[in-house]
Structures are given as C-alpha cells and as structure tokens.
Amino acid sequence: MLTSEVRPAEARFELTLAFHCAPALAGIKPADLIALPGEGDETDALLASYSAALAGAGISLRPLCRCRSRCLVLVYRRNRLERQLEQEEVARLLEQDGYPLAGGLEAMLDHLASRMAGSGGFPHEVGLFLGYPAEDVEGFRLHRGRDYKLCGCWKVYSDVEGARQCFRRYDRCRAALCRRVRAGGSLPQMFR
C-alpha cells in the first residue's frame, strides 16, 4: 500500500482522514476522533499502513473502540496530546474521572478506551483529549449539553469569541488539506 498509484479505498481513507482530522494532522490540535467502518480487514490494513507511514511525523492512529460496525480511532500527535493532558485544569478533571495520571499517556488512553467500551455511556471527558477547553467540558456536563452559548466543533460555554476563531482556523486547515489530497497529495508525503 501507499504506492504512487493510490487505490480508491486509500483515496477515500485519505480524504476522510483529511476532512475529519486535519487540525490534529497539522499539529494545531492535539487530537481528533474519527469513526471508520469497523468491519473487514481493509480498515485494519489501512489503519496499520497509515499508522506506520505517519509515525515518523509524530502522528499516531489508535483504535479506541469497536462498536456497531464502526471503529473509533484517535488521531493524535503524542507531544501535543501530552502537553494538553498535563494542563492543570485538564489533569484535575481527568483525575476526578479516575484517569491514571502518573501512568503516562498510554495508561490514560487505555483508560479512555475502556470507558468507551463500557456501558456507562459515551465518556464526555474525551473532549479534554481533543483539546476542548476544560471550562466547556465542565459546562457540557453541568448543563447536560444544553444552554450553550455557541455550537461548532464542540458546545461552547465559556469563551465564545476564542472558540469562533478556533473553529475558523480548523475550517481553513480542513479545507486546505482536503484540497491538497483531492489534487493528488498523499498524507504520508505531506507530513514527513
């Protein structure tokens, strides 16, 4: 795989990654979460191939959960995600949810994966991994997803103008990366 001749499945996979994960791939966001078709060896083969191809750029693709014929994959830059999770308010919230802070990133990702696979509902603290402001993650929990000030990439309860600027930056990044992929660019080549 990942030859100069891109197969249709690879082209779809790259465009899907570019559209849903551009900010994380470009390093302006610590992580993005994407749902991929979870059945079949093709998804697993593409994940393995792109994980290996993007690893040199510090980009990881980690399946967190397989449920109902889909696979939830966290696309992240390790250093960026570690810095995000080390922020005082973020660490405090994760600790409240039982995350093993002293165990490092892998232990926290394992804990997130187990929470996703559990039957307690979707773990809203995933927003902390995705770079959402801690105040907005707390606001979402407190208001149960209602009474937000702005809805975009996430529901905003605190800094509306800061969030608007962030959403625009993410949109520009997504558009630019998708343009490059549609023009024949390869993600592994772009992020060497």
Side-chain angles (χ1 to χ4, degrees):
M1 272 193 235
L2 301 178
T3 62
S4 58
E5 186 178 318
V6 178
R7 298 182 341 203
E10 287 178 40
R12 279 191 311 276
F13 185 80
E14 284 210 11
L15 192 54
T16 299
L17 274 179
F19 183 81
H20 292 286
C21 304
L25 290 168
I28 62 173
K29 188 173 186 252
D32 276 305
L33 190 63
I34 184 171
L36 298 171
E39 293 180 345
D41 295 334
E42 188 171 54
T43 297
D44 290 337
L46 285 168
L47 275 173
S49 179
Y50 279 81
S51 289
L54 294 168
I59 299 168
S60 299
L61 285 72
R62 179 181 170 145
L64 292 175
C65 173
R66 288 189 187 272
C67 25
R68 287 184 257 132
S69 74
R70 66 185 176 133
C71 179
L72 291 178
V73 177
L74 189 70
V75 177
Y76 64 97
R77 289 185 173 261
R78 178 178 202 85
N79 292 339
R80 187 101 161 67
L81 184 54
E82 286 174 335
R83 285 194 312 271
Q84 164 71 14
L85 300 179
E86 289 169 354
Q87 292 178 37
E88 187 177 331
E89 191 61 17
V90 171
R92 182 186 67 77
L93 292 173
L94 289 173
E95 189 172 45
Q96 285 177 356
D97 286 327
Y99 280 81
L101 302 183
L105 181 59
E106 291 307 316
M108 288 193 282
L109 291 175
D110 288 344
H111 190 78
L112 177 61
S114 70
R115 298 231 332 134
M116 285 186 159
S119 60
F122 195 80
H124 297 296
E125 71 273 7
V126 72
L128 298 169
F129 288 81
L130 302 177
Y132 302 171
E135 302 84 19
D136 292 339
V137 173
E138 271 191 309
F140 185 90
R141 287 178 172 173
L142 179 67
H143 297 280
R144 295 189 170 123
R146 297 183 299 260
D147 303 326
Y148 47 86
K149 297 176 181 179
L150 175 70
C151 186
C153 299
W154 65 86
K155 290 184 177 176
V156 179
Y157 293 88
S158 60
D159 180 6
V160 172
E161 190 49 42
R164 272 195 185 107
Q165 290 174 13
C166 187
F167 297 165
R168 285 193 293 268
R169 190 169 58 248
Y170 292 171
D171 287 344
R172 286 191 305 270
C173 178
R174 177 179 297 110
L177 191 56
C178 285
R179 238 185 344 269
R180 290 180 71 188
V181 169
R182 284 188 187 107
S186 163
L187 293 176
Q189 290 172 344
M190 286 183 241
F191 294 106
R192 286 186 182 188

